[in-house]
Amino acid sequence: MVNPDMLKRDILIIGGGPAGLSTALHLAQLAPELIPHILILEKAHYPRLKLCAGGLLNDAEIILNRLDLDVSEIPHVDASAVHLDFAGKGLTISLPNTHILRIIRRDEFDNWLAKKAEQRGLELQEGVTVRKVQPQDDCVIVETDAGMFTSQVVVGADGSNGVTRRCILPNVPVQTSRLLEVITSLSGNPVPVETAHTRDHAYFDFFCVPNGIAGYTWDFPTQVNGQPLRCWGVYDTNLLADKPRPALKEPLAAEMARHGFDLDDFELKGHPIRWFNPKNPISVPRVVLVGDAAGADPVFGEGISLALGYGAFAAREIKRSIEHGDFSFNKYRPGLLHSALGQTLLVRWVITQTLYRLRWPWFQRFFWQVLKPIVASVGTLLVINWAKRMK
Ligand SMILES: Cc1cc2nc3c(=O)[nH]c(=O)nc-3n(C[C@H](O)[C@H](O)[C@H](O)COP(=O)(O)OP(=O)(O)OC[C@H]3O[C@@H](n4cnc5c(N)ncnc54)[C@H](O)[C@@H]3O)c2cc1C
């Protein structure tokens, strides 16, 4: 029942992370007349902490540039090469005269993006937690700890554990990966020269796949308050959860020990990521999901560039729905799957289902160390560089 005291907005965006802010910024760019009708609700206050290694691929920068945003305005560290290894040996990717990965801190990045949205006239209410989302025939009722809202369209940009998805698609199965992360000093105890990591390179190592961890460990250069540091972590899609596997901490501790660090000396933090499954619905009439709420990359758990891309895609679909007065969003998922964003998500889903199930050590070694040129070409063509192809 719609109560006349409810606050009205045409477009309500739940969550002010990269996906929600990108949706708002793209709507503002595509249809400036909609700006006064958009409201972003964010439960935290910026700058808020978000557990994330902060690795931005060039796809993220392409989308930001199209919004006239330059991420180099905020503190960052550039990695000149990325290594995709099995047990310390494998494929190295770099680009001529530029970085391959830019590493930001999420408190700084999200705060910067939120300020840019506000500077463009978008309204953002911080410290408001959404409790319930109830789509009706003629509107959506959104219950928050600051009152009730009604809206024509709701965007669920509230991350992997978001309330929007749980309310609108309560019975859809969820695939989540688990991640652990630590921030360390630049170097630990001395290690042999051949083992040492180069300071401005980023490393992924898939040595843990044969043990049932369907993922990798990472080591990125980073900075906190201007101090150069390293960010280490471990990612597991949980795809091999039915097989015996070590505690998630173990491969991370082993990899860090190989580089002279004792994991127990550092504060370990964990958070899950919901990953994309092409079979899952991502909208209902009047409500669409974006970012982790719709599903992140299952291969690497990469989600920032994808969240920005989801925002670009959703903004176009919302503008179209308002122009046609059709809020069914029945073409939202098929449209996404046909887009460059959907295609990279689809390819990454297929890679996850195969690469992490073929867990023989010889295969993983062969894949990362011998098939290098093929892996690099397929990756460049089908996995990354999708943002250039987004309309
Ligand atoms: C350990 C770890 C390392 C990672 N490393 C990388 C990396 O290096 N590169 C990369 O690309 N990705 C990485 N990711 C993934 C990346 O963090 C996510 O994919 C990305 O944050 C998704 O953005 P989002 O906007 O969809 O969701 P989020 O960033 O989670 O934003 C959701 C927002 O919604 C708000 N919110 C939630 N519930 C409510 C509510 N009920 N009411 C109001 N607001 C709400 C939250 O406060 C938050 O601000 C990593 C993730 C983890 C866990």
Side-chain angles (χ1 to χ4, degrees), residues 175-204:
Q175 283 87 19
T176 48
S177 33
R178 43 188 197 143
L179 295 91
L180 296 174
E181 182 179 302
V182 291
I183 302 287
T184 71
S185 53
L186 277 184
S187 45
N189 295 320
V191 292
V193 180
E194 62 278 12
T195 312
H197 279 172
T198 305
R199 196 170 273 198
D200 72 333
H201 289 193
Y203 295 82
F204 297 82

Side-chain angles (χ1 to χ4, degrees), residues 98-166:
T98 187
H99 57 280
I100 177 100
L101 193 70
R102 174 159 280 175
I103 296 106
I104 47 80
R105 297 298 298 162
R106 284 295 298 282
D107 52 344
E108 292 164 336
F109 178 78
D110 292 24
N111 184 42
W112 168 76
L113 211 52
K115 295 290 164 288
K116 294 290 179 191
E118 285 181 325
Q119 282 163 15
R120 292 179 188 191
L122 289 154
E123 191 185 345
L124 210 162
Q125 287 186 12
E126 297 173 52
V128 178
T129 301
V130 171
R131 304 238 184 266
K132 211 172 187 183
V133 178
Q134 297 168 275
Q136 314 284 307
D137 286 345
D138 56 347
C139 69
V140 187
I141 299 177
V142 175
E143 195 181 312
T144 78
D145 59 359
M148 306 278 271
F149 290 80
T150 62
S151 184
Q152 288 300 310
V153 174
V154 163
V155 179
D158 42 356
S160 290
N161 294 326
V163 68
T164 313
R165 178 184 49 75
R166 283 186 276 123

Side-chain angles (χ1 to χ4, degrees), residues 294-317:
D297 157 40
V299 185
F300 291 99
E302 191 223 337
I304 307 171
S305 69
L306 300 167
L308 296 170
Y310 271 114
F313 175 77
R316 269 198 308 275
E317 293 300 305

Side-chain angles (χ1 to χ4, degrees), residues 184-234:
T184 71
S185 53
L186 277 184
S187 45
N189 295 320
V191 292
V193 180
E194 62 278 12
T195 312
H197 279 172
T198 305
R199 196 170 273 198
D200 72 333
H201 289 193
Y203 295 82
F204 297 82
D205 202 310
F206 296 82
F207 72 96
C208 47
V209 178
N211 298 332
I213 303 287
Y216 59 86
T217 59
W218 78 81
D219 168 28
F220 289 179
T222 191
Q223 60 77 40
V224 178
N225 301 325
Q227 188 192 352
L229 297 166
R230 304 289 302 181
C231 172
W232 297 80
V234 57

Side-chain angles (χ1 to χ4, degrees), residues 10-11 27 140 152-155 168 281-289 313-323 325-336:
D10 289 334
I11 303 166
L27 276 167
V140 187
Q152 288 300 310
V153 174
V154 163
V155 179
I168 63 164
I282 47 173
S283 69
V284 296
R286 295 189 179 274
V287 186
V288 296
L289 300 177
F313 175 77
R316 269 198 308 275
E317 293 300 305
I318 293 166
K319 179 174 179 271
R320 210 191 332 258
S321 75
I322 290 173
E323 281 167 358
D326 172 4
F327 300 104
S328 65
F329 289 108
N330 53 11
K331 297 207 174 86
Y332 186 72
R333 183 171 150 277
L336 179 84

